[in-house]
Amino acid sequence: MLVLGVESSCDETSVAVVRDGKEVLSNVILSQIDIHKKFGGVVPEVASRHHVYQVAMVFDEAFKKALVKPEDIDVVAVTEGPGLIGSLLVGVNAAKTFALVFDKPLIGVHHLAGHIYANAIEHEMKFPAIALLVSGGNTELIYMRDHFKFEILGETHDDAVGESYDKVARVVGLPYPGGPAVDKLAHEGKVTYNLPKPYVDGYNFSFSGLKSAVINLNHNLEQRHEEVNKEDLCASFQDSVSEVLVNKTFKAAREYKVKQIIVAGGVSANKGLKERFMAENKDGFEICIPSIRYCTDNAAMIAVAGYYQWQLCPEKRSLDMNADSSLELESK
């Protein structure tokens, strides 16, 4: 089965062709990072305009790289939400148009399910599983009894972890996106600054206080005309974040007696987080983390999720689906 995936929830325009949920024939990603870098973050109106400019070209490139024709596609899978509504509408309308012109069935995919199923490209997903979903807009701990059986155990009360990385990066003068920059400096520094470990109730998360602690520490040092060691500050911040994420994930994995831990989302590319998971895996859980090319937003993950969803969730098949910027991951 050939699935065409379309992803445009934020600032990446991406189209992919995937065979049988495993073989990625093409995964074209056109990023807008350089465009938004001067603003220090994604500007929704700018992002949606560039999706409009780029989407037809990305479709064309995806078919050229996959060496297939539009008529060969069996199913079209598109991100329906959550995300920036203007960006989502470009992808959804492009996917609908393709499906109508070539008479192909269409299925809407939840963006976070896509991130989780990015792991299925290179790993065999085993259930029950715990999924830690960490990205610029989301931080969630999810229990999966089986394919597309999601139970949200905890989520962030305020800032998502990726958002916190971007804000800390801005405070210490690092470029956007902040995650890779902070991670790089963290490996050059030592944990020397006393920052809080943001533990909150149950399996929920909260990073606003930690972010504020970094801002206040940086401000106080500047007021005293003391030099801020950026490497040590990044190392201290990353140590606090990774401790909480890793400890809560392992706690949930033990409580729910899972076969596998899945780490997903853009922040799963973080080197420090990966190292901590591997170093502290005392119980020997199988830990699945996608390759970097599948961690950030991409259409291959949407195509893979669409492949499984097509078989397991027939109620999701509809040309009437619409973009939904606040779409929730359904618990089942």
Side-chain angles (χ1 to χ4, degrees), residues 40-267:
V42 177
V43 180
E45 174 65 17
V46 173
S48 59
R49 285 180 180 273
H50 278 84
H51 283 305
V52 172
Y53 302 152
Q54 297 165 173
V55 69
M57 178 179 63
V58 176
F59 263 79
D60 187 52
E61 186 69 14
F63 281 110
K64 286 180 180 177
K65 288 192 173 183
L67 300 177
V68 299
K69 297 178 293 185
E71 293 82 0
D72 297 329
I73 296 299
D74 296 300
V75 178
V76 182
V78 60
T79 303
E80 61 177 323
L84 304 176
I85 188 61
S87 294
L88 287 167
L89 282 168
V90 177
V92 167
N93 285 328
K96 278 187 174 183
T97 301
F98 179 92
L100 284 167
V101 169
F102 292 99
D103 193 24
K104 304 296 180 181
L106 178 74
I107 190 162
V109 175
H110 194 286
H111 181 71
L112 304 187
H115 275 303
I116 291 172
Y117 276 84
N119 281 278
I121 298 171
E122 301 165 309
H123 306 276
E124 179 190 353
M125 295 177 71
K126 301 174 184 177
F127 302 102
I130 287 289
L132 174 67
L133 210 154
V134 279
S135 67
N138 301 89
T139 305
E140 298 184 8
L141 202 55
I142 300 165
Y143 173 64
M144 296 180 66
R145 299 192 312 276
D146 206 337
H147 283 293
F148 280 89
K149 304 293 184 183
F150 304 112
E151 180 184 344
I152 299 174
L153 304 179
E155 53 194 345
T156 181
H157 286 318
D158 38 63
D159 293 349
V161 64
E163 181 184 2
S164 299
Y165 267 91
D166 285 340
K167 290 178 179 176
V168 167
R170 193 177 304 135
V171 167
V172 298
L174 297 176
Y176 172 85
V182 171
D183 187 29
K184 182 177 184 296
L185 282 195
H187 281 83
E188 299 172 9
K190 297 179 180 178
V191 180
T192 57
Y193 292 109
N194 185 23
L195 295 175
K197 302 292 194 295
Y199 286 99
V200 292
D201 57 297
Y203 290 119
N204 291 313
F205 302 95
S206 172
F207 297 103
S208 179
L210 174 60
K211 175 202 67 181
S212 297
V214 172
I215 294 172
N216 292 335
L217 174 62
N218 187 74
H219 176 73
N220 291 337
L221 290 172
E222 288 180 346
Q223 289 293 100
R224 296 199 299 266
H225 303 289
E226 296 179 21
E227 185 177 354
V228 177
N229 187 309
K230 293 183 179 181
E231 291 81 3
D232 290 351
L233 184 56
C234 288
S236 302
F237 167 75
Q238 183 151 288
D239 178 71
S240 292
V241 170
S242 61
E243 177 183 311
V244 173
L245 292 175
V246 170
N247 285 355
K248 289 208 172 193
T249 302
F250 279 136
K251 181 182 177 183
R254 288 190 293 269
E255 179 180 343
Y256 286 84
K257 298 180 175 59
V258 301
K259 295 180 180 179
Q260 194 175 71
I261 291 173
I262 294 168
V263 186
V267 183

